[in-house]
Amino acid sequence: MRECGTPNVPTFSALRKLQSQLTREVGIKTEPHTSALGNQFYMNHPLDLLALDWANPLVRKHIQVYPEVTSVIKEVWQADKWLKELDNNQLSPMWANWKDDPHRHFYVNELAQLKDGSFVIPICWVIYQKQEHAEVYRVHHSEDFMPNPIRKVAKDRPVFCLRFMAWCDDVSGNVSKQYNAHMNMYITNANLPHQNLSQEYFVRFCSTSPHTTSLEQFDAMVKDVGKWKEAYDCFLETEILFQIFVHGLPADNPQQAESSSGASLNSSANCRYDTAGGTKEYKETNEGYNSLFNTGTPRTPFSTVQIIEEQIQVACLGVQDAVRIIQTCTGTKDKIAQFWIDKLIPMAREKQKLRFQALTSDAHLNNPKLKGAELDAAKLAIKKEIQVDLMAWLVKQPPDRYALLPEDSDHRFQLRPGDHYNSLMDVIGLNPHLDSPCEILHTYLLGIDKYIWHDTTKDWDKKKEELFAARLQSSSMLGLTLPPLQSRYIVQYKNSLIGKHFKAIQQLAVFHFDDSLCNPAVMDIWKATGELGAMLWIPEIRDLKQYLADLEILIANVLDVWAVHDPARIILKFKLHVLPHILDDIRRFGPAVRFSTEVFECWNAIFRLCSILSNHQAPSHDIGVTIADMERFKHMVSGGSWKVGGIYIQAGPCVRNFLSQNTELQHRLGWVENDLASIKPGSLKLKSLQKRNSLSWTAILQTLQSRQANTQLTEPGNIQGSIWNECKYVVSKARDICTEGSWVFCKDTMNPELACTARIYKILSPSTSKITSDGNRVVILEKFVILNSKDEHMNMPVLLRTDIQFIYALPMDIQFIFNAQHDCLGKKCPVIENATSVRQERNITSKFIPGVIHTDDTRFFVNMHALHNAHLLRESLPRHLVAPVPYFQNRYEKHAEFAASLRITGPAKRATAQARAKETREQNKQKKSKNINT
Ligand SMILES: [Zn+2]
Ligand SMILES: [Zn+2]
C-alpha cells in the first residue's frame, strides 16, 4: 500500500501487534495443554468461542435458549435427549419478561406466584406453541421457599445453558496426496437452527495436533463443561452468565468407536452402542445371527469403565494375552488405558522376574519344601503383591497431574478419567455409547451404497458400463437438487467414487437396471436401499411414531435383502448392524441430517489452507493462533461486542456492517443471509429477452391444440387480449424452483379441493403494462393421474397420462416439486449411438455419444428414492402407495435358514483360510532356510 502512495500505512509488525492485542481483548486464548500421555498441543476453548455467540448479533438472534415441545421435529432441541432425558440442571434455569420486567428473574425450583395468585414451583422452562412456558408443580400448602443456589453465582445477571456438538477426526494437513496426519476437533453450537449450522461460518475450530489422539484433546475440552462464564448478550443488552455441555459426538464410525472406548470395527463385539456379537461360531448360530439384525444390551459408561479397570488390573499381573482376551470378548479397548497397559505389562514382568529369580532374597520361595501347588500359590501371592504395588504407582501417574489433586481428594487413590482412561466416560449429560449418533454420509452413502454399487458393477464389461452410463445420463434431474450428473465419470472411476456420486446413484440407478446389468436379488437391495435412503434424509418429522415405525420396516428390509444376497455380509459389515440403532438416534436427536458431519468435513478445507501456510514447526500452536485471529475478525465484522476495561465495545459502523454488506466476505466466511427469505413462494422469473416468447392467449391455445389437447382454457384474469411472456421458473409453496417440465403437486383451479400431479408446460406472466395483481400470472400444466396401485417391479407409484389434458393453476397453488422418471425399461426406450453431441469448453463439438431416446410420453414413475421433498411426497400420496411392506413376514425363521447355510460355508471358509496361511508360513520358512544356506 505504501508503494502505491497510501498515506499513514502502519508497519507490518505494528499491524500484527494490534491484531494479536485485539484477539486477546476479544477473549480467545490459544491455550497450551500437556495430555496424560505427555503430548503437547494447543486449544481454543469451546467456552471462549461460544461466549462470542452471545455478543454476535448475527448469531445471537438464532440462539434457542430453551427446549421446545412441538409436533413437527426439525431441530435437536425438539427431540427426546434435550426435551426428556436431560437433568433440569443442564437446562437454562431461569426466565424473565425481557421486554417489560427484565430484572425479575424466575428460577426453576423456586416458589413463584401466578397472575391468579396461586403458587407454583417451575421445574423447567420450555417453548410450547412458540411461547415460553414452564413445567410446574402446583403448591397447595405453604412450603419452604428455597432460593435457587445459582442466584448466588449469577449476581442478578441472566443465566443460560448452551449445548454443543463436538466433532473429531483425522484430517490430512496437505492438499496433495501425501497424507499429513492431524487429529482435529471442531464444535458447533447446538442451540442454533440447522439452517445455520449447515454453514461453515458456524463451525468453530478448537484444536489440531499431529501427535495427540482424539481422547487427549477431548480431555482438555471437557474441562469446560459445567463451568460458568460471563458473556455479553447483545439481544438483552446486558452481561449474562452461561454454562456449556456436550450434546453429542458426531463423527465417522471408527472415530465414534474410539470415543466410546471401543476396539476396532474388526473385533468380535464391535458395536459402540451395545454388546451384540461374539465368536465367529456364535454369530453363525440361529440366535447369534438373528441378534445382529437387532439392537442388543446397551453399553453404559459405568460398565465400560469397569471393563477398562479390569484390563488395567490384569495388566498389572503381566499377562499380555489375558488383556487381549478381555478386549476381544468385550470389544472395549481404551486408547488412554492402553498407553498405561503397554507400560504396566513389561513393568510387572520385570518385577516378577526379579522376585522369582532372586530366590535367596525371597523368604517364601527359598524354602526348599515348596513344590507344585504350593510353589504356584507362593508365586501367585508375589504376583498379587506386585499388582498392588503397580496400581499404587499408577494412581500417582502422571505425576504433574497427581500433584494438582487436593490433599483430601478421594481421587488420589483411584483411577481417574482423563489420566488413566477416556474422560468422555465421566462427563455430565453425556453417554458416548448413546451420544455418538450414526452418521449417514459415512454409513449409508460410503457404506451401504458403496457395497451394493461394488457388487453390481464388479463384473461389468466396457459395453455394460457404457449402456448404464448412457441410461443414467438420460435421467430427469428436475426436482432432485443435485449437481449435473457425470455418468461417464461415474462408470470410469467406479471404484473411487465419493459421497456426492453415491447420493445421485442412490436416487437414480434403480431406474436403469435390467437383468443384464443387475440380477434380481441385487435389484431388491437397490430398491430397499433407495426407499430407506429417502426416508433417512428427510429434514423434518411430522408424525414421529409413524415415521419410526416405517423406518423400522425399511431398515429390516435392507438388512434382509442383504442376507438373501450374501448372508455373511451381516456378520462382516458393522455398517449393516448399525442401521437399527438409527431409530433411537433419531428419536433422541431429531432427523438424521441433523447429526450429519458434512459441514465439518467441508471445514477441513479451511484447516488445510492454514496448515499449508504454517511453517510446520509448531502446527498445533500456529494453526490455533491463526484461527483464533480469524474468529476475532469474524466477530468484529459481524458487529460483535467485546469487553475492554470493564465496558463492552463494538467496532465502528463501517467495520461492524462489513460482513452483512459484503457478499464476497460472506462467501469467504461461509455465511449465508437467510437465503430462504429471498425466495418468495409464488414468485416468477421471466426468461431472458432472447429466450422469451411473447404470445397472445389465442396463440398459446393453438400450441396446446397442436399437441392434440382436448381442453379449452379460457384466458385467466379479468383482462382479455393480454400479451403473455414466458417465465423461466415459478417458486412453489415449499420454495422450490420449478421450471418448464418440472413435476409438481398443485391445486387444480377447476377442482380446488383436490391436489393433483402435473407437469409444468408453460409459466406465463402478462406483459408488464397490464399486470394488475399476482392473480393474473398463470402456470399451464399437463395433468397426469396416479394409478391406484404401485408398479410391481419398481415398487413405486405410476403417473399416467390417459388423454392430453392441460389445466392451469395460479403460481401460489404450486405446492412442491417432485422427481419422476420415464418408464424406459417398460417402454423399451433404446440407447442410440451418436444420440447426443458432446460439449467441451461450453461449445458443442462434432463428437457424439450414445443416449436414450424415449419412445413415448405417457408412463412415468414417481421417484420414491428422491431425497428432496421426500416427506412432502409421502404426505401427499395415498397411504397405501407409500406404506412400507416388510420383505419377510417371519424374519427369525428366514434368519435361521441363512445361519444354517453359514454353518456350512463359514467353517469351510475358515479351514481354507487356515490351510492357506499354513502354506504361506511354510513357504516363508523354506525361503528363509534357502537364504541362510546360500
Ligand atoms: Zn449394536
Ligand atoms: Zn424412456
Side-chain angles (χ1 to χ4, degrees):
M1 286 171 87
R2 210 176 272 153
E3 296 298 315
C4 299
T6 314
N8 302 326
V9 179
T11 61
F12 192 64
S13 61
L15 175 73
R16 282 277 180 261
K17 208 170 146 195
L18 179 73
Q19 281 178 334
S20 55
Q21 183 201 331
L22 284 172
T23 305
R24 266 198 310 280
E25 283 177 6
V26 167
I28 319 163
K29 295 178 283 288
T30 303
E31 281 183 37
H33 289 278
T34 305
S35 78
L37 313 190
N39 293 316
Q40 306 251 337
F41 65 99
Y42 287 77
M43 178 173 278
N44 299 341
H45 273 264
L47 198 58
D48 297 336
L49 293 168
L50 294 176
L52 298 181
D53 284 357
W54 296 103
N56 181 338
L58 299 181
V59 180
R60 173 60 180 108
K61 64 180 174 191
H62 299 296
I63 295 182
Q64 176 89 12
V65 179
Y66 307 107
E68 185 176 3
V69 182
T70 56
S71 53
V72 180
I73 298 170
K74 281 204 263 191
E75 306 287 352
V76 272
W77 58 77
Q78 297 159 345
D80 275 12
K81 175 168 182 184
W82 204 312
L83 201 55
K84 296 183 181 162
E85 289 176 24
L86 289 179
D87 271 353
N88 288 340
N89 60 12
Q90 294 170 47
L91 299 173
S92 293
M94 53 82 72
W95 172 85
N97 181 348
W98 304 113
K99 221 171 122 209
D100 301 326
D101 195 0
H103 297 295
R104 187 186 293 179
H105 295 173
F106 293 92
Y107 274 84
V108 293
N109 302 332
E110 277 185 1
L111 200 64
Q113 192 174 23
L114 299 183
K115 276 188 179 160
D116 66 7
S118 63
F119 288 95
V120 294
I121 293 179
I123 302 303
C124 74
W125 292 100
V126 293
I127 307 284
Y128 178 61
Q129 295 181 336
K130 305 278 164 219
Q131 286 264 312
E132 286 111 340
H133 282 69
E135 247 180 71
V136 298
Y137 278 130
R138 285 217 171 265
V139 180
H140 299 292
H141 314 287
S142 72
E143 281 178 34
D144 276 349
F145 171 77
M146 296 278 286
N148 191 315
I150 299 172
R151 276 186 190 275
K152 250 193 181 161
V153 200
K155 300 200 179 95
D156 295 332
R157 292 170 293 187
V159 177
F160 302 113
C161 291
L162 290 183
R163 305 189 68 79
F164 66 101
M165 295 287 191
W167 176 93
C168 196
D169 203 2
D170 49 347
V171 180
S172 173
N174 286 356
V175 175
S176 65
K177 283 204 168 162
Q178 185 191 333
Y179 200 74
N180 177 10
H182 283 72
M183 183 54 79
N184 287 12
M185 189 167 292
Y186 312 148
I187 58 158
T188 52
N189 182 343
N191 296 57
L192 294 170
H194 178 256
Q195 210 211 320
N196 298 98
L197 294 185
S198 56
Q199 302 172 21
E200 285 166 26
Y201 178 88
F202 294 88
V203 175
R204 312 312 265 285
F205 167 95
C206 281
S207 55
T208 182
S209 166
H211 318 291
T212 325
T213 62
S214 59
L215 294 188
E216 293 167 83
Q217 295 184 39
F218 273 128
D219 181 44
M221 189 191 77
V222 297
K223 298 223 159 41
D224 284 8
V225 169
K227 269 189 197 163
W228 291 109
K229 165 105 185 161
E230 61 189 39
Y232 180 73
D233 187 328
C234 61
F235 171 65
L236 300 178
E237 297 182 338
T238 179
E239 189 171 284
I240 61 153
L241 210 59
F242 77 104
Q243 271 179 319
I244 59 170
F245 297 97
V246 190
H247 194 64
L249 304 166
D252 63 8
N253 288 302
Q255 176 56 45
Q256 287 179 321
E258 191 173 325
S259 304
S260 315
S261 301
S264 88
L265 292 179
N266 301 325
S267 76
S268 61
N270 61 0
C271 182
R272 63 178 177 270
Y273 296 87
D274 60 38
T275 56
T279 60
K280 289 191 179 90
E281 289 74 20
Y282 173 72
K283 287 180 192 163
E284 286 166 5
T285 63
N286 291 357
E287 205 181 308
Y289 188 67
N290 184 61
S291 74
L292 296 173
F293 290 77
N294 303 297
T295 60
T297 316
R299 294 178 191 267
T300 63
F302 178 76
S303 63
T304 303
V305 171
Q306 271 189 325
I307 298 170
I308 296 169
E309 292 198 345
E310 190 192 341
Q311 292 175 16
I312 293 177
Q313 292 274 4
V314 171
C316 292
L317 292 172
V319 201
Q320 178 89 54
D321 271 358
V323 179
R324 198 181 46 75
I325 288 169
I326 303 175
Q327 289 174 341
T328 323
C329 294
T330 59
T332 298
K333 185 174 179 181
D334 186 282
K335 278 251 167 111
I336 307 273
Q338 193 60 37
F339 170 81
W340 298 111
I341 289 171
D342 290 343
K343 273 189 187 295
L344 288 166
I345 291 174
M347 277 169 82
R349 283 197 187 148
E350 189 60 29
K351 279 179 188 258
Q352 287 170 4
K353 207 167 122 195
L354 283 175
R355 296 270 300 264
F356 293 164
Q357 275 176 352
L359 290 178
T360 42
S361 64
D362 199 304
H364 295 294
L365 291 182
N366 204 20
N367 187 340
K369 280 176 198 162
L370 277 180
K371 266 189 219 136
E374 279 178 66
L375 181 67
D376 287 346
K379 276 189 173 178
L380 186 64
I382 290 175
K383 280 185 182 173
K384 295 242 162 166
E385 276 172 34
I386 292 171
Q387 185 187 33
V388 172
D389 289 351
L390 284 177
M391 286 303 283
W393 170 82
L394 183 59
V395 293
K396 290 185 182 143
Q397 304 300 317
D400 48 339
R401 289 179 172 224
Y402 178 75
L404 295 176
L405 292 170
E407 282 297 328
D408 55 349
S409 168
D410 287 344
H411 293 299
R412 286 184 160 254
F413 309 103
Q414 49 192 237
L415 298 178
R416 295 175 296 274
D419 290 356
H420 304 115
Y421 58 87
N422 181 359
S423 48
L424 293 175
M425 289 295 157
D426 188 43
V427 177
I428 177 171
L430 186 75
N431 173 348
H433 298 301
L434 284 180
D435 296 332
S436 305
C438 177
E439 209 279 318
I440 47 182
L441 168 70
H442 293 96
T443 308
Y444 213 71
L445 295 179
L446 301 175
I448 316 283
D449 282 355
K450 204 174 191 171
Y451 306 153
I452 179 68
W453 172 249
H454 178 258
D455 280 25
T456 310
T457 60
K458 66 181 180 211
D459 297 328
W460 280 2
D461 53 20
K462 272 270 161 284
K463 226 170 130 194
K464 286 184 179 173
E465 284 178 2
E466 188 48 53
L467 173 67
F468 178 74
R471 285 187 181 164
L472 185 65
Q473 198 64 44
S474 75
S475 311
S476 162
M477 302 298 284
L478 295 168
L480 288 179
T481 62
L482 280 175
L485 267 182
Q486 304 160 291
S487 63
R488 278 171 184 84
Y489 178 96
I490 288 177
V491 291
Q492 192 178 352
Y493 300 101
K494 61 185 183 187
N495 292 330
S496 43
L497 301 183
I498 58 171
K500 70 168 184 185
H501 298 127
F502 286 114
K503 220 176 193 172
I505 291 171
Q506 182 188 306
Q507 300 180 67
L508 292 169
V510 75
F511 297 98
H512 308 299
F513 291 133
D514 52 23
D515 288 352
S516 74
L517 292 178
C518 169
N519 74 52
V522 176
M523 180 67 181
D524 279 348
I525 308 186
W526 281 107
K527 285 195 276 184
T529 308
E531 284 162 22
L532 173 59
M535 286 283 273
L536 283 179
W537 260 265
I538 65 153
E540 57 181 61
I541 303 167
R542 307 275 170 107
D543 179 347
L544 184 69
K545 214 173 138 195
Q546 176 81 73
Y547 175 69
L548 290 180
D550 286 356
L551 211 55
E552 193 173 353
I553 297 175
L554 292 170
I555 289 173
N557 285 354
V558 167
L559 296 177
D560 289 348
V561 290
W562 266 107
V564 173
H565 169 58
D566 177 8
R569 210 64 73 94
I570 301 293
I571 296 178
L572 295 174
K573 293 295 180 194
F574 173 72
K575 286 176 182 178
L576 285 169
H577 166 74
V578 79
L579 291 179
H581 289 291
I582 291 183
L583 294 171
D584 207 38
D585 291 338
I586 291 175
R587 193 180 54 70
R588 298 179 68 247
F589 291 97
V593 281
R594 297 292 171 263
F595 42 87
S596 129
T597 60
E598 257 169 283
V599 68
F600 297 109
E601 313 270 350
C602 293
W603 215 90
N604 287 337
I606 303 177
F607 159 75
R608 274 188 207 112
L609 282 179
C610 296
S611 168
I612 295 165
L613 298 174
S614 82
N615 63 9
H616 305 288
Q617 296 303 306
S620 183
H621 172 266
D622 294 352
I623 295 170
V625 168
T626 308
I627 294 177
D629 258 347
M630 195 181 84
E631 286 287 349
R632 184 259 316 155
F633 173 75
K634 246 166 77 175
H635 190 68
M636 288 179 161
V637 296
S638 307
S641 307
W642 68 97
K643 198 175 191 175
V644 178
I647 46 166
Y648 285 97
I649 58 163
Q650 260 181 317
C654 290
V655 174
R656 69 172 179 255
N657 296 327
F658 193 18
L659 180 63
S660 52
Q661 285 164 8
N662 187 320
T663 42
E664 171 67 26
L665 184 67
Q666 289 172 11
H667 180 70
R668 280 175 184 266
L669 292 183
W671 185 73
V672 185
E673 169 70 298
N674 208 355
D675 59 340
L676 279 187
S678 59
I679 306 173
K680 215 175 119 223
S683 59
L684 307 175
K685 187 172 162 66
L686 284 169
K687 282 189 183 172
S688 66
L689 270 174
Q690 293 97 327
K691 290 187 183 164
R692 186 192 309 165
N693 283 320
S694 301
L695 299 164
S696 70
W697 193 257
T698 334
I700 293 164
L701 281 186
Q702 274 165 6
T703 62
L704 299 185
Q705 275 146 9
S706 71
R707 292 173 59 109
Q708 277 102 41
N710 58 9
T711 332
Q712 282 294 331
L713 293 176
T714 49
E715 186 162 0
N718 40 17
I719 311 152
Q720 302 291 307
S722 301
I723 292 297
W724 295 85
N725 292 322
E726 288 180 339
C727 296
K728 197 172 164 197
Y729 65 75
V730 54
V731 178
S732 75
K733 214 174 142 199
R735 297 176 200 269
D736 311 302
I737 305 284
C738 310
T739 55
E740 285 172 7
S742 297
W743 294 90
V744 292
F745 264 80
C746 73
K747 253 198 261 168
D748 187 341
T749 6
M750 313 269 188
N751 201 349
E753 297 304 305
L754 285 171
C756 67
T757 41
R759 190 170 61 186
I760 295 182
Y761 178 64
K762 274 196 187 325
I763 306 157
L764 299 166
S765 173
S767 62
T768 42
S769 58
K770 288 196 175 175
I771 285 185
T772 48
S773 74
D774 274 1
N776 281 350
R777 299 162 168 201
V778 71
V779 183
I780 301 183
L781 305 128
E782 280 178 272
K783 204 169 164 179
F784 279 72
V785 290
I786 289 192
L787 296 190
N788 198 34
S789 54
K790 290 187 275 189
D791 179 85
E792 242 172 64
H793 179 65
M794 297 301 285
N795 198 28
M796 287 189 198
V798 180
L799 287 159
L800 202 68
R801 182 166 63 188
T802 40
D803 54 353
I804 298 179
Q805 195 191 359
F806 286 95
I807 55 167
Y808 60 68
L810 301 177
M812 267 312 281
D813 291 339
I814 307 290
Q815 309 279 311
F816 66 90
I817 196 170
F818 67 93
N819 180 258
Q821 298 292 332
H822 186 239
D823 179 10
C824 288
L825 296 181
K827 296 287 180 181
K828 303 206 164 50
C829 300
V831 174
I832 308 279
E833 293 290 326
N834 303 337
T836 335
S837 46
V838 180
R839 269 175 179 272
Q840 287 176 354
E841 304 287 322
R842 295 205 192 99
N843 298 319
I844 295 173
T845 63
S846 56
K847 289 182 162 187
F848 287 94
I849 43 169
V852 172
I853 305 293
H854 295 298
T855 50
D856 82 337
D857 190 32
T858 56
R859 197 173 194 269
F860 294 82
F861 298 119
V862 178
N863 184 354
M864 296 307 282
H865 296 187
L867 305 188
H868 185 66
N869 286 343
H871 59 306
L872 299 177
L873 186 60
R874 280 159 179 77
E875 270 169 31
S876 308
L877 289 167
R879 175 73 188 157
H880 71 275
L881 293 181
V882 297
V885 183
Y887 195 75
F888 289 138
Q889 285 310 324
N890 189 338
R891 296 184 71 206
Y892 186 85
E893 214 168 71
K894 283 286 173 187
H895 298 165
E897 265 175 42
F898 300 134
S901 75
L902 282 173
R903 286 194 291 274
I904 300 165
T905 54
K909 260 187 207 162
R910 286 195 286 281
T912 332
Q914 257 173 7
R916 205 172 293 149
K918 200 178 160 195
E919 210 173 286
T920 330
R921 267 200 306 275
E922 259 156 36
Q923 274 173 0
N924 289 348
K925 230 190 236 166
Q926 279 175 2
K927 262 187 217 160
K928 230 182 189 175
S929 60
K930 246 189 212 165
N931 286 346
I932 292 167
N933 291 341
T934 53

